[in-house]
Amino acid sequence: MNPDILKERKSATFDVGILTNILDGGPEKTRRRREIESMVLSDPDFKEENPNFLSRSERYDQAVRKSACMIQKLREYGIADPEEIYHYKNCVHPDRPEPLDLHLGMFLPTLLNQATPEQMDRYFMPAWNLEIIGTYAQTEMGHGTHLRGLETTATYDPATQEFVLNSPTISSIKWWPGGLGKTSNHAIVLAQLYTIGKCHGLHAFIVPLRDMKTHVPLPGIVVGDIGPKFGFNEVDNGYLKLENIRIPRDNMLMKFAKVEPDGTYVKPPSAKLTYGTMVFIRSMIVGESSRALSKACTIAIRYSSVRHQSEIRPGEPEPQILDYQTQQYKLFPLLATAYAFHFVGQYMKETYHRITGDINDGDFSELPELHALSAGLKAFTTWEANSGIEVCRMSCGGHGYSCSSALPDIYVQFTPTCTYEGENTVMMLQTARYLVKSYRQAKAGQQLSGIVSYLNEAQHRRVQPQPVAARPTVVDINDLASLVEVYKLRAAILVELAAKSIQQELQRRRSQEDAWNNSAIDLVRASDAHCHYVVVKLFADKLRNISDTGVHSVMSTLALLYALQGVTKNSGDFLQAGLLSVPQVLQSSVRIKELLSQLRPNAVALVDAFDHNDKKLNSVLGRYDGNVYEHMFEWARSSPLNATEVHESFYKYLKPLRSKL
């Protein structure tokens, strides 16, 4: 064990194990997660070649082999709990995407949520047993987040009781679905439903893609891999062109919307039910934001504790770079963010399952809020985590650029979350639409419930017609509850400003569409403020459930740091609204420096509590034992370029140059 990192762990003021249990949801869950990790990481069947030294085809081949092995082992061990499957899968493919991701994460959940009992009998067990391997084909070459613009058509033919699916234009070719290129034999295809000459919008259809025996594409199916991307080298993201593909009527998922044999269309209770799978994935992505950022923080903070550089005082030994205030200022707020997002991820998971249960009981009242919250938090957390991962990489200096650090991989694997399952700006605008609607309802006297209920309070609190407060609010910046209140007021004011911007545009005789577009910047700011308030509130709420004194103390410090960092980054909002004074903002900056100093002794222990196994972290810089340099040299020597002392290119190209001199 590196003596520096050993010293760091001895300086901790709290029990790391207790905090790990809190993050996992209890000691038993921690025990079971570690048991599953041990099963996978000690299994020689999952041994792999370093993907950094493989071609893309080799990486895909290795990923498919491991995925197939994973399915066999899950059956052998009888692991069927979704959470345990998730842990097992994350160990087999340590936070790397793999070819079965959409089968497990979208195809099966869509069947569970949108298939009729008859369709479940027909499709679910074959899909569970991987006779059917599915993907989720929504995005097209010309349209992604704007779902209403998707062009793929499904036209009902009552004479044969079949749907005819077509890709009518080049831009309507399905593009990007994972596992589509070479792995899947079925797809859930989102297409515009036409029946009796009328379009009823997007609906989901189960479409066979490949022969079940030969895996050769079926007639009329043009399918393949879209080629290398920024990352995701293990995944066969694909394209799909449909040429008059006929499928039976009961291949349309009809738990909610239906097409009768004669072509009569039966509307679903809510149009948003079609997008239930996306809401599920967006809720999951919030948790993924925490995991990715926590891994990056673990690597950067551990490395910063063993890396010595420059001098603080001339002539003295080089200090750990974690002793530099600038390094703490880069990393500790990100550490606080990773914890905040973890608790938000837990909340989203619980909320999704609760509201899904209500939907199954016929109660759709909270679906709009779930849709808006998952969209906004997906955008808010992925933007923050994505930029934070890059800060962690740069904080590791030159070694952070090496793939041995794992930071480049974490970044390229996480970056797509900012665009898939909804481009982030559009997601913020979707949330804003719900916020403006809720604001108008509150203004009209309707009592709101749920996470937007603060808009009720804003109506009662306001004395003047303009949103800017007449005097600064009395705020104690050392009190988290007080800061939660300030974040709530900021969100209410920015929602009101956005709503008034739209109203002013309408008064200038703008159309609804132009008024919305001309207010889009205000709307995104309002959504951002709303999401920021939710995150701060949930972090504060979590503290009330932590009974251990040591853990409560350090988590309170983290929560306060997160809230104050947000104040300084968005000081203009708080100052313009009169929520904080200039001295309070300046005091916040001073207080942040004090919090950095308080967190310094616990920094390594706080990343240890995430409990990222070395094999899963796969980072030379982030090793638990801190022995960075020995293993960095070992990693470099294993490069295939070092297989021979003299590379063949020397004899082919460089040596002949000498003879021509």
Side-chain angles (χ1 to χ4, degrees):
M1 188 75 71
N2 181 289
D4 285 322
I5 210 162
L6 201 57
K7 179 188 72 175
E8 294 292 332
R9 293 194 171 106
K10 286 180 178 176
S11 72
T13 63
F14 68 96
D15 188 318
V16 171
I18 291 175
L19 182 50
T20 300
N21 292 340
I22 290 169
L23 293 175
D24 283 330
E28 177 56 29
K29 289 198 172 183
T30 298
R31 185 202 64 77
R32 180 57 176 159
R33 173 181 57 76
R34 287 175 174 170
E35 184 179 41
I36 289 170
E37 286 179 356
S38 179
M39 288 165 61
V40 176
L41 299 175
S42 63
D43 191 333
D45 289 340
F46 292 120
K47 187 174 172 56
E48 67 171 16
E49 292 184 61
N50 189 324
N52 290 294
F53 301 139
L54 299 178
S55 69
R56 179 161 179 256
S57 181
E58 289 168 333
R59 289 176 76 152
Y60 170 72
D61 183 271
Q62 179 166 267
V64 173
R65 176 188 66 77
K66 290 174 66 181
S67 294
C69 183
M70 173 184 74
I71 298 300
Q72 290 174 342
K73 302 276 183 179
L74 289 171
R75 292 172 181 169
E76 180 184 332
Y77 297 137
I79 296 175
D81 178 79
E83 194 166 318
E84 294 192 354
I85 291 172
Y86 180 80
H87 289 319
Y88 197 97
K89 179 179 173 299
N90 258 358
C91 291
V92 175
H93 303 276
D95 291 325
R96 286 201 300 267
E98 53 97 4
L100 293 182
D101 272 351
L102 264 68
H103 175 79
L104 298 170
M106 296 192 80
F107 189 84
L108 288 172
T110 302
L111 290 178
L112 283 168
N113 291 328
Q114 297 190 41
T116 63
E118 295 77 18
Q119 290 171 326
M120 284 290 289
D121 289 343
R122 180 177 166 194
Y123 289 111
F124 190 80
M125 286 314 297
W128 182 255
N129 292 325
L130 263 75
E131 297 163 37
I132 289 175
I133 301 175
T135 185
Y136 190 84
Q138 175 175 288
T139 302
E140 297 172 1
M141 194 187 291
H143 287 94
T145 304
H146 179 55
L147 298 181
R148 287 195 300 271
L150 295 178
E151 300 174 82
T152 303
T153 59
T155 306
Y156 184 64
D157 179 358
T160 60
Q161 294 193 20
E162 293 174 317
F163 290 101
V164 183
L165 278 83
N166 263 305
S167 306
T169 63
I170 186 73
S171 56
S172 69
I173 295 172
K174 294 295 182 184
W175 201 267
W176 280 115
L180 175 60
K182 296 294 175 185
T183 309
S184 299
N185 54 32
H186 281 69
I188 289 175
V189 174
L190 272 287
Q192 303 286 358
L193 167 63
Y194 286 85
T195 179
I196 317 180
K198 186 178 178 183
C199 180
H200 297 281
L202 283 184
H203 289 73
F205 302 84
I206 300 175
V207 181
L209 303 178
R210 294 174 178 269
D211 185 278
M212 294 295 283
K213 292 182 179 178
T214 65
H215 206 59
V216 172
L218 296 169
I221 298 288
V222 181
V223 65
D225 178 81
I226 65 170
K229 293 86 56 179
F230 188 46
F232 275 52
N233 290 306
E234 287 82 6
V235 179
D236 54 326
N237 296 88
Y239 60 78
L240 172 64
K241 187 171 185 288
L242 300 163
E243 299 176 338
N244 290 310
I245 302 302
R246 286 183 170 266
I247 58 172
R249 182 183 68 89
D250 57 6
N251 274 35
M252 173 181 160
L253 292 177
M254 294 201 210
K255 182 175 182 179
F256 301 113
K258 295 181 177 65
V259 172
E260 302 289 3
D262 66 356
T264 302
Y265 177 70
V266 180
K267 287 199 306 185
S270 168
K272 287 184 169 62
L273 289 168
T274 305
Y275 312 132
T277 304
M278 281 193 307
V279 173
F280 168 68
I281 295 298
R282 287 171 190 162
S283 301
M284 292 280 290
I285 288 172
V286 175
E288 293 298 333
S289 298
S290 169
R291 271 181 287 279
L293 185 56
S294 71
K295 289 178 73 176
C297 287
T298 298
I299 294 165
I301 288 173
R302 283 180 179 168
Y303 176 63
S304 296
S305 72
V306 301
R307 176 76 172 185
H308 292 253
Q309 185 110 348
S310 303
E311 297 175 336
I312 292 180
R313 298 177 186 84
E316 291 190 2
E318 292 180 293
Q320 298 160 278
I321 59 175
L322 201 55
D323 285 338
Y324 288 100
Q325 189 183 67
T326 50
Q327 190 78 342
Q328 296 169 17
Y329 189 66
K330 290 175 190 174
L331 297 177
F332 293 178
L334 294 177
L335 178 61
T337 302
Y339 271 95
F341 288 179
H342 182 90
F343 299 133
V344 176
Q346 286 181 333
Y347 171 82
M348 283 304 301
K349 183 178 173 183
E350 292 162 4
T351 301
Y352 174 81
H353 288 303
R354 176 177 59 79
I355 295 177
T356 300
D358 292 343
I359 289 169
N360 289 333
D361 293 336
D363 179 1
F364 303 96
S365 60
E366 291 190 80
L367 184 57
E369 179 175 329
L370 176 63
H371 187 270
L373 190 61
S374 64
L377 286 174
K378 180 265 184 189
F380 183 84
T381 58
T382 55
W383 266 333
E384 290 292 312
N386 193 54
S387 62
I389 293 165
E390 178 64 354
V391 170
C392 289
R393 187 191 67 77
M394 289 191 289
S395 75
C396 292
H399 292 324
Y401 188 66
S402 169
C403 284
S404 68
S405 73
L407 289 165
D409 268 352
I410 294 171
Y411 183 78
V412 299
Q413 306 297 11
F414 185 77
T415 291
T417 61
C418 295
T419 45
Y420 69 53
E421 302 313 314
E423 192 278 329
N424 278 358
T425 301
V426 179
M427 293 297 93
M428 283 297 198
L429 289 170
Q430 285 189 9
T431 301
R433 196 175 294 277
Y434 178 76
L435 293 173
V436 170
K437 180 181 178 182
S438 299
Y439 166 80
R440 289 171 176 166
Q441 289 172 337
K443 192 175 180 182
Q446 185 175 330
Q447 280 298 304
L448 304 176
S449 60
I451 206 72
V452 293
S453 59
Y454 66 88
L455 295 174
N456 288 324
E457 301 169 35
Q459 298 302 319
H460 299 306
R461 186 185 297 105
R462 189 171 54 257
V463 177
Q464 299 184 10
Q466 62 266 36
V468 179
R471 54 187 171 78
T473 308
V474 178
V475 178
D476 178 0
I477 65 160
N478 293 301
D479 178 55
L480 190 58
S482 189
L483 289 171
V484 170
E485 188 69 15
V486 171
Y487 270 91
K488 179 166 71 175
L489 291 171
R490 172 193 173 223
I493 288 168
L494 287 179
V495 170
E496 182 173 24
L497 282 171
K500 288 197 168 185
S501 174
I502 294 172
Q503 192 59 38
Q504 288 164 2
E505 290 290 326
L506 291 172
Q507 288 169 358
R508 296 189 187 109
R509 299 181 183 277
R510 310 275 197 220
S511 67
Q512 284 281 355
E513 295 77 14
D514 286 341
W516 183 264
N517 186 47
N518 292 343
S519 305
I521 294 171
D522 297 320
L523 289 162
V524 170
R525 285 180 63 215
S527 286
D528 184 84
H530 170 74
C531 293
H532 209 161
Y533 157 63
V534 170
V535 175
V536 173
K537 179 182 183 300
L538 292 176
F539 204 163
D541 289 347
K542 186 67 180 181
L543 294 179
R544 290 196 284 271
N545 299 322
I546 298 175
S547 57
D548 183 87
T549 306
V551 173
H552 189 278
S553 175
V554 73
M555 294 309 292
S556 297
T557 305
L558 274 179
L560 188 58
L561 175 61
Y562 179 78
L564 289 177
Q565 179 77 350
V567 165
T568 59
K569 285 174 68 176
N570 301 279
S571 57
D573 289 347
F574 294 100
L575 290 169
Q576 286 177 358
L579 298 172
L580 294 174
S581 65
V582 171
Q584 285 174 317
V585 172
L586 294 174
Q587 188 186 353
S588 297
S589 297
V590 173
R591 186 71 178 109
I592 284 172
K593 294 175 186 177
E594 296 170 355
L595 294 172
L596 297 178
S597 181
Q598 287 177 33
L599 285 168
R600 171 66 185 85
N602 284 311
V604 168
L606 282 166
V607 296
D608 285 352
F610 290 127
D611 206 25
H612 293 301
N613 185 287
D614 270 356
K615 287 186 179 179
K616 284 183 66 180
L617 200 58
N618 198 29
S619 170
V620 168
L621 301 189
R623 294 176 57 86
Y624 184 83
D625 64 14
N627 294 322
V628 170
Y629 300 126
E630 303 90 333
H631 290 90
M632 189 181 297
F633 187 47
E634 181 186 318
W635 190 91
R637 289 184 63 129
S638 69
S639 168
L641 274 179
N642 294 323
T644 58
E645 291 295 336
V646 181
H647 193 266
E648 60 181 353
S649 61
F650 171 78
Y651 300 108
K652 288 160 64 177
Y653 310 119
L654 299 179
K655 189 176 180 181
L657 292 176
R658 296 180 176 184
S659 62
K660 294 175 184 177
L661 290 176

